[in-house]
C-alpha cells in the first residue's frame, strides 16, 4: 500500500491533478486556495507542464478555454470572488462543450467578503454563475483524501461528458492537513476528435465556438446538451449515508458542514435520538432519489450549511416538501459547533414526538 | 486514548503551526487518525496564531475544536482566550516565561514550563515551541518519545538537516523538565 502522508487539502488537489494527467494550470492567486497555484508553480516546470499566473481571473479562465479546446487536460482554481470573475468563461466553456476542471475553495461573501471558510457559492455552482442554460458537475469533498480522489474523478467526468467539473470546497478543507494515500490514479481517456489540434491538411477544420446565430440551431444544441446532462443525472450521483437505517430525523450536509454534523449525529445517537446523515458528494447531479426515499422513512430533515440556506431548497424540492426541513447555519466564515447542530436535531426531535 | 483534541495558541512566529505539525506527524507515524487545522486569517501575520490538532483511534469528525482536551498557551492573550474552553479533566500547558499569571481553575491539570527561558539556555532560542512539545510528550506516554527524531526529520527540509538535532535538543529539555 502507498505511504500515508500529511498534506493540505489544496496541495492534495494539485498533486491529484498532476496524477490525473493535467499539464496545464492557469490561475490567479487568492486566499484561501493559493497553495494550489504554489504547488503547481513548483511542480509543473519539472514535468514539462505549464504553470501560468495570468494577469487576472478572466484571463486565466479564457486560457483554460483555449487549452481545453485544444484537447488538453487543463484546470484553474480560485476562491469565491475569483469564481465570479471566471463565470463568463465558464458559460462560454459550457456553450462550446469542452471539458474543464475548476476548483472553488470558498470564502465568505458576498462581495469581497472575508477569507474564512464558507459554503455560500452553492447556488452559483449548482445553478450556474454564468448566463445561459448550462450545468456543471459539482463535487463536494469532505476530507483531504476526497480532495484528491474527486479531483481525479472530476477530470474523468469532464472528459466523458464534455463539460466543466468543479470542486466546491471551502477554506477549512483547503487549509487543513490530514493523512492521505495516493493510489494509482485511474485515468480514463476519451477520444477528442473535436479538438483543435491542426488539420495537418488531412481533415476538415474543427470549430470550437459558443456562437449560434440561427435560433433553431442554438435550440438544437441546447436540447442535445441537456440530453447529455440527463445521462449525468442518471449515472453519476454520489452520496454517503451515515446511520440512516432506522433514522427518524435526517441531517443533510455537505463538505465541512457534514463533518461537524457527523459529530452531532454520533452524540445524538448516544442520547438515544434516532438520527442519520445524508451527505451529497455530487451537488449537481443532486442525490434526489435517496432524499426522496428518506422522506418516506424520516419525519423531519435538518439542513446544515455555511450560508443563509441554499442547499435546503434542493432538499425541499427533492423531498417534495413531504416533511419539514429546518436550517442550522452560520455564515461569514463562522462554522456551527456540533452543539449547535445537536440542538437543531433536538428541536427536530420535539416535532417528531 | 480514544480522541485527543489539542489546541496550540500563541503569537505568529512562535512556531505554533510547526508544533502542531509535529504532533500531527507523530500521530501519523503511530498509525493514528489525525487532522491539523491552522488559523489562516490576517491575525497570523504578527498577531495571534493557533492550530487545532486532533489525534484519534477512530476517523476524525470535525477538525474544528471548540473544547480542547489539551491547551498549549504560548502567550497571555491565548491563555485568557481559551482557558475556559478546556474540558474538565483536561490539561493546560503554559509557557511560564511569557505568562506570569496562574490558571484559575482546579478541575484541570496545569503544567508551567519556562519554555522560552529554557530554549534560550539550551542555545535554541527560537524553539520554545518544541520545549513545550517535549513536555507534552512526557505526559502523553501513548505518543512515546521513541521515533521523535524520525518525526522531526519529516518536517525539516533535507537541506536543513542540522535543524533535526536542534529540535531534538529542545524536545529533550522539555521532556526532562520536572
Amino acid at each position: 500500500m502507498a505511504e500515508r502522508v500529511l498534506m493540505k487539502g489544496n496541495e492534495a488537489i494539485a498533486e491529484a491533478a498532476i496524477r490525473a494527467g493535467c499539464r496545464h494550470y492557469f490561475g490567479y492567486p487568492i486566499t484561501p486556495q493559493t497553495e494550489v497555484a504554489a504547488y503547481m508553480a513548483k511542480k509543473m516546470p519539472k514535468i514539462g507542464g505549464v504553470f501560468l499566473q495570468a494577469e487576472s481571473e478572466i484571463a486565466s479562465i479564457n486560457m483554460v478555454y483555449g487549452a481545453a479546446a485544444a484537447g488538453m487536460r487543463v484546470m484553474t482554481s480560485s476562491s469565491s470572488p475569483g469564481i465570479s470573475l471566471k463565470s463568463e468563461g465558464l458559460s462560454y466553456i459550457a456553450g462550446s462543450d469542452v471539458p474543464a476542471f475548476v476548483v472553488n475553495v470558498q470564502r465568505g461573501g458576498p462581495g469581497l467578503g472575508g477569507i474564512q471558510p464558507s459554503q455560500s457559492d452553492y447556488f452559483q455552482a449548482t445553478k450556474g454563475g454564468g448566463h445561459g442554460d448550462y450545468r456543471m458537475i459539482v463535487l463536494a469533498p469532505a476530507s483531504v483524501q476526497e480532495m484528491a480522489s474527486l479531483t481525479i474523478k472530476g477530470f474523468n467526468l469532464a472528459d466523458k461528458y464534455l463539460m466543466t467539473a468543479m470542486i466546491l470546497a471551502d477554506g477549512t478543507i483547503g487549509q487543513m492537513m490530514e493523512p492521505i494515500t495516493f493510489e494509482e490514479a485511474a485515468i480514463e481517456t476519451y477520444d477528442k476528435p473535436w479538438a483543435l489540434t491542426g488539420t495537418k491538411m488531412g481533415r476538415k477544420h474543427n470549430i470550437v465556438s459558443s456562437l449560434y446565430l440561427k435560433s433553431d440551431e442554438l435550440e438544437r444544441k441546447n436540447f442535445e446538451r441537456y440530453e447529455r446532462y440527463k445521462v449525468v443525472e442518471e449515472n453519476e450521483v454520489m452520496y454517503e449515508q451515515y446511520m440512516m437505517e432506522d433514522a427518524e430525523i435526517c441531517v443533510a450536509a455537505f463538505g465541512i458542514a457534514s463533518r461537524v454534523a457527523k459529530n452531532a449525529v454520533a452524540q445524538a445517537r448516544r442520547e438515544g435520538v434516532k438520527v442519520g446523515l445524508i451527505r451529497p458528494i455530487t451537488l449537481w447531479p443532486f442525490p434526489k432519489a435517496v432524499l426522496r426515499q428518506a422522506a418516506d422513512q424520516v419525519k423531519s430533515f435538518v439542513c446544515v450549511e455555511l450560508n443563509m440556506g441554499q442547499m435546503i431548497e434542493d432538499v425541499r424540492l427533492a423531498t417534495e416538501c413531504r416533511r419539514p426541513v429546518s436550517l442550522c447555519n452560520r455564515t461569514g466564515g463562522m462554522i456551527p459547533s456540533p452543539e449547535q447542530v445537536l440542538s437543531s436535531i433536538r428541536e427536530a426531535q420535539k416535532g417528531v414526538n | 486514548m480514544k480522541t485527543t483534541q489539542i489546541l496550540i495558541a500563541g503569537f505568529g512566529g512562535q512556531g505554533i503551526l510547526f508544533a502542531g505539525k509535529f504532533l500531527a506527524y507523530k500521530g501519523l507515524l503511530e498509525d493514528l487518525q489525525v487532522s491539523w487545522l491552522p488559523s489562516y486569517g490576517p491575525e497570523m501575520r504578527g498577531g495571534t496564531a493557533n492550530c487545532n490538532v486532533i489525534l484519534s483511534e477512530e476517523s476524525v469528525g470535525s477538525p474544528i475544536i471548540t473544547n480542547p482536551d489539551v491547551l498549549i498557551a504560548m502567550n497571555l492573550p491565548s491563555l485568557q482566550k481559551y482557558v475556559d474552553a478546556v474540558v474538565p479533566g483536561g490539561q493546560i500547558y503554559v509557557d511560564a516565561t511569557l505568562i506570569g499569571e496562574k490558571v484559575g481553575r482546579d478541575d484541570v491539570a496545569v503544567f508551567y514550563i519556562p519554555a522560552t527561558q529554557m530554549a534560550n539556555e539550551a542555545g535554541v532560542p527560537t524553539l520554545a515551541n518544541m520545549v513545550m512539545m517535549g513536555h507534552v510528550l512526557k505526559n502523553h506516554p501513548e505518543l512515546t518519545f521513541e521515533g521523535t527524531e524520525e518525526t522531526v526529520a519529516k518536517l525539516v527540509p533535507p537541506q536543513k538537516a542540522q535543524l533535526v538535532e536542534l529540535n531534538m535538543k529542545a524536545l529533550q529539555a522539555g521532556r526532562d523538565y520536572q
Side-chain angles (χ1 to χ4, degrees):
Chain A
M1 207 180 92
E3 191 195 357
R4 281 205 316 165
V5 291
L6 270 188
M7 221 177 207
K8 276 194 170 192
N10 286 336
E11 296 166 344
I13 286 177
E15 176 61 30
I18 290 170
R19 286 168 185 256
C22 174
R23 291 294 177 274
H24 297 79
Y25 175 93
F26 305 103
Y28 188 81
I30 182 170
T31 305
Q33 66 75 50
T34 301
E35 291 84 1
V36 181
Y39 197 93
M40 288 302 195
K42 210 156 88 181
K43 288 279 166 95
M44 279 300 198
K46 290 181 186 152
I47 54 172
V50 174
F51 166 84
L52 201 152
Q53 181 178 319
E55 71 272 30
S56 70
E57 282 88 351
I58 296 170
S60 67
I61 191 68
N62 282 291
M63 291 172 182
V64 169
Y65 183 17
M72 297 294 133
R73 279 205 158 175
V74 56
M75 72 174 286
T76 187
S77 60
S78 192
S79 179
S80 311
I83 296 294
S84 291
L85 286 165
K86 288 179 201 283
S87 292
E88 180 196 49
L90 291 173
S91 171
Y92 279 60
I93 287 168
S96 305
D97 302 300
V98 291
F101 181 73
V102 175
V103 177
N104 181 1
V105 183
Q106 299 167 90
R107 54 189 253 179
L112 269 181
I115 61 173
Q116 298 299 322
S118 165
Q119 298 182 322
S120 52
D121 303 345
Y122 178 92
F123 282 156
Q124 187 193 46
T126 60
K127 317 290 177 197
H131 59 280
D133 282 313
Y134 77 96
R135 291 292 191 183
M136 298 187 294
I137 293 169
V138 182
L139 305 159
S143 66
V144 173
Q145 185 73 56
E146 275 190 355
M147 288 287 244
S149 60
L150 292 178
T151 291
I152 290 162
K153 178 109 191 160
F155 274 102
N156 287 340
L157 291 175
D159 276 357
K160 186 172 181 186
Y161 295 106
L162 303 178
M163 58 194 293
T164 295
M166 173 182 273
I167 292 269
L168 191 69
D170 68 86
T172 312
I173 299 185
Q175 293 294 323
M176 72 187 282
M177 288 203 303
E178 282 185 316
I180 168 171
T181 35
F182 283 100
E183 305 293 348
E184 193 68 30
I187 301 176
E188 297 167 13
T189 38
Y190 296 91
D191 285 340
K192 297 180 175 177
W194 45 265
L196 310 183
T197 52
T199 64
K200 302 185 182 71
M201 309 304 275
R203 63 160 164 83
K204 239 181 110 221
H205 287 95
N206 283 339
I207 296 172
V208 170
S209 171
S210 65
L211 179 66
Y212 294 93
L213 289 174
K214 289 184 187 135
S215 307
D216 58 337
E217 202 184 339
L218 179 55
E219 184 190 46
R220 203 181 65 239
K221 272 281 161 193
N222 283 327
F223 281 143
E224 277 172 16
R225 194 167 297 128
Y226 270 70
E227 284 301 314
R228 193 151 24 93
Y229 292 168
K230 214 161 83 188
V231 180
V232 179
E233 287 190 275
E234 278 160 14
N235 295 328
E236 306 299 349
V237 172
M238 291 168 71
Y239 57 85
E240 181 198 350
Q241 296 196 81
Y242 175 67
M243 296 197 168
M244 277 301 294
E245 297 78 20
D246 60 341
E248 293 178 346
I249 298 165
C250 172
V251 177
F254 68 96
I256 189 65
S258 73
R259 304 230 348 202
V260 179
K262 225 177 205 178
N263 282 24
V265 166
Q267 180 58 33
R269 281 277 173 179
R270 284 193 285 273
E271 295 175 11
V273 182
K274 287 185 175 166
V275 55
L277 169 76
I278 294 180
R279 170 172 79 94
I281 298 173
T282 50
L283 300 180
W284 195 89
F286 193 68
K288 289 180 204 164
V290 68
L291 281 157
R292 173 65 188 78
Q293 231 174 343
D296 288 336
Q297 176 192 330
V298 306
K299 302 197 172 81
S300 178
F301 288 84
V302 178
C303 207
V304 186
E305 300 185 68
L306 275 59
N307 57 44
M308 290 307 293
Q310 299 193 11
M311 185 177 77
I312 192 170
E313 294 191 1
D314 282 337
V315 173
R316 285 191 175 126
L317 276 174
T319 56
E320 295 160 5
C321 297
R322 278 158 198 257
R323 305 283 176 221
V325 188
S326 62
L327 177 67
C328 171
N329 68 324
R330 295 297 298 271
T331 79
M334 303 301 291
I335 295 179
S337 63
E339 290 69 32
Q340 186 188 343
V341 180
L342 192 57
S343 69
S344 291
I345 292 171
R346 288 194 195 114
E347 273 306 305
Q349 170 78 3
K350 279 185 203 158
V352 168
N353 290 335
Chain B
M1 180 179 67
K2 243 184 149 178
T3 297
T4 309
Q5 306 201 15
I6 305 164
L7 176 62
I8 313 172
F11 291 121
Q14 277 183 311
I16 301 299
L17 302 188
F18 185 87
K21 272 187 199 173
F22 168 77
L23 285 182
Y25 254 108
K26 189 81 181 89
L28 178 82
L29 292 177
E30 309 215 359
D31 278 329
L32 294 171
Q33 299 298 324
V34 307
S35 72
W36 173 93
L37 178 68
S39 57
Y40 65 87
E43 78 274 18
M44 71 183 278
R45 285 148 185 115
T48 57
N50 73 72
C51 169
N52 297 351
V53 177
I54 300 178
L55 308 176
S56 181
E57 284 169 359
E58 300 161 356
S59 66
V60 176
S62 170
I64 303 145
I65 299 176
T66 5
N67 296 108
D69 302 301
V70 178
L71 168 65
I72 296 146
M74 299 284 290
N75 67 12
L76 185 59
S78 299
L79 179 63
Q80 288 168 334
K81 188 170 174 188
Y82 297 114
V83 64
D84 292 329
V86 178
V87 298
Q91 296 178 337
I92 301 180
Y93 295 80
V94 174
D95 184 337
T97 313
L98 301 180
I99 302 172
E101 285 184 16
K102 296 285 174 198
V103 173
R105 284 180 62 173
D106 52 14
D107 59 344
V108 291
V110 187
F111 304 91
Y112 298 96
I113 307 116
T116 298
Q117 188 195 330
M118 287 168 64
N120 280 328
E121 284 167 6
V124 288
T126 57
L127 292 176
N129 58 341
M130 299 310 274
V131 175
M132 297 293 273
M133 290 304 110
H135 208 69
V136 171
L137 288 189
K138 178 187 175 181
N139 291 306
H140 286 264
E142 72 278 9
L143 281 174
T144 73
F145 206 80
E146 222 171 283
T148 302
E149 196 161 343
E150 193 191 341
T151 308
V152 175
K154 286 247 176 214
L155 295 171
V156 172
Q159 63 271 27
K160 290 186 183 166
Q162 77 280 6
L163 292 179
V164 175
E165 198 188 316
L166 300 179
N167 275 280
M168 287 307 295
K169 214 166 159 182
L171 283 161
Q172 279 152 1
R175 179 195 57 185
D176 297 339
Y177 180 73
Q178 300 294 333

